[in-house]
Amino acid sequence: MIYIDDTLLQKLEAFYKGERKLTVLTGAGLSADSGIPTFRDTDGFWTVGSKNYMPEEMGTLRMFRQKPLEVWKWFLYRNTICSKALPNKGHFAITELEKLFGDRFRLITQNVDGLHHKAGTSEKRTYLIHGTLEKVRCGEECSKAFYPFPDFAFEKNQELTAEQSEQLKCPQCGDYLRPHVLWFDERYNEKHYKLDSSMRTAKETGLLLTIGSSGATNLPMLVTESVLSRQGMLVDINPNANAFSELAYTKKNGFVIRAKSSDALPEFVELFSQLKRKA
Ligand SMILES: [Zn+2]
């Protein structure tokens, strides 16, 4: 094994024989190998008239209330990029882990790009804590209905046609629909973003793999701290230093693999496949 050393190997074998859950937590770094930018910093600039907006300004309920069509244009453009992208080896390895672990598996993802779904990970064991670009809902919450994301391609500097603008309206009340994503000025909740389910899963987790996430948002960090507080293991897989690896370095049950998930995750699949064959 290249990425899993002997100490980690022994711990993973002991974990496999137990009953606690395998939870995989993923962030934007996983989808970088599929060509999806993070849409933070300069990747996410959006120009309205002569003014540049930061993603933290565009992706807000406040901006949606002020300029719904500008927010929609930004999301249509992002969705156009995401809808062309394909899952990579990392996504497929995670799907294999679900097959190996069945109901001991959970996926908590910050990614809204739909690539886990495309790779075949089941919806019932996936918590989309930042929502998904696959769905929209009424911006006024007039009902509990979800609708598919509008399917027209949209480039930067394009204008919406009247017909396209109509497609962005709720069929029930006529107000604007919104992407089913958590905005920067909104809070996590169970109804849309599986806050309680994620925290409950953390309590049952014996092995947490954090993948391609910087730890910049608070729910992933709360999940991680909860796992560690109950003697669960944390393995951070990321080519870059981040908040999870910093935490892992300070804990007996913490491990850091400085590699791309598309390289390191197949080794976990191979190991657990071997253990399953032996069992
Ligand atoms: Zn409505």
Side-chain angles (χ1 to χ4, degrees), residues 138-143 170-175:
C138 176
E140 297 301 322
E141 310 264 341
C142 78
S143 77
C170 173
Q172 299 198 45
C173 75
D175 271 308

Side-chain angles (χ1 to χ4, degrees), residues 51-189:
K51 193 171 178 334
N52 275 328
Y53 288 93
M54 295 291 287
E56 292 79 1
E57 297 171 279
M58 287 308 294
T60 59
L61 185 62
R62 186 166 177 268
M63 186 66 89
F64 179 71
R65 296 268 182 256
Q66 289 171 359
K67 301 180 196 294
L69 289 177
E70 285 302 328
V71 173
W72 257 117
K73 282 152 76 176
W74 186 57
F75 272 97
L76 286 163
Y77 159 71
R78 290 178 53 171
N79 184 62
T80 300
I81 293 176
C82 292
S83 61
K84 288 179 200 157
L86 296 171
N88 61 56
K89 279 196 316 194
H91 294 100
F92 287 115
I94 291 165
T95 304
E96 290 304 310
L97 290 174
E98 180 178 8
K99 286 182 195 159
L100 288 164
F101 281 86
D103 209 42
R104 279 180 73 190
F105 171 92
R106 290 292 183 277
L107 171 64
I108 298 175
T109 184
Q110 299 168 254
N111 297 341
V112 299
D113 52 41
L115 291 181
H116 285 296
H117 190 196
K118 280 188 193 168
T121 305
S122 78
E123 283 181 71
K124 68 174 178 179
R125 296 185 185 123
T126 300
Y127 301 144
L128 299 161
I129 60 170
H130 291 174
T132 174
L133 289 177
E134 294 176 303
K135 293 182 202 169
V136 301
R137 62 182 207 252
C138 176
E140 297 301 322
E141 310 264 341
C142 78
S143 77
K144 290 179 180 168
F146 288 101
Y147 308 96
F149 202 93
D151 65 353
F152 51 85
F154 197 83
E155 303 301 330
K156 262 186 182 174
N157 306 319
Q158 197 176 333
E159 287 304 324
L160 287 163
T161 65
E163 191 192 340
Q164 287 171 337
S165 300
E166 275 309 300
Q167 285 186 56
L168 305 177
K169 288 182 181 167
C170 173
Q172 299 198 45
C173 75
D175 271 308
Y176 282 110
L177 295 162
R178 60 170 282 175
H180 177 49
V181 298
L182 178 71
W183 281 332
F184 287 102
D185 56 351
E186 294 182 308
R187 288 170 176 273
Y188 290 109
N189 60 49

Side-chain angles (χ1 to χ4, degrees), residues 18-32:
E19 289 176 351
R20 292 173 78 186
K21 282 195 169 63
L22 164 63
T23 301
V24 180
L25 195 158
T26 63
L30 174 64
S31 295

Side-chain angles (χ1 to χ4, degrees), residues 257-270:
I257 297 177
R258 280 265 178 268
K260 291 209 281 192
S261 50
S262 48
D263 294 328
L265 273 176
E267 204 167 277
F268 284 78
V269 173
E270 181 53 36

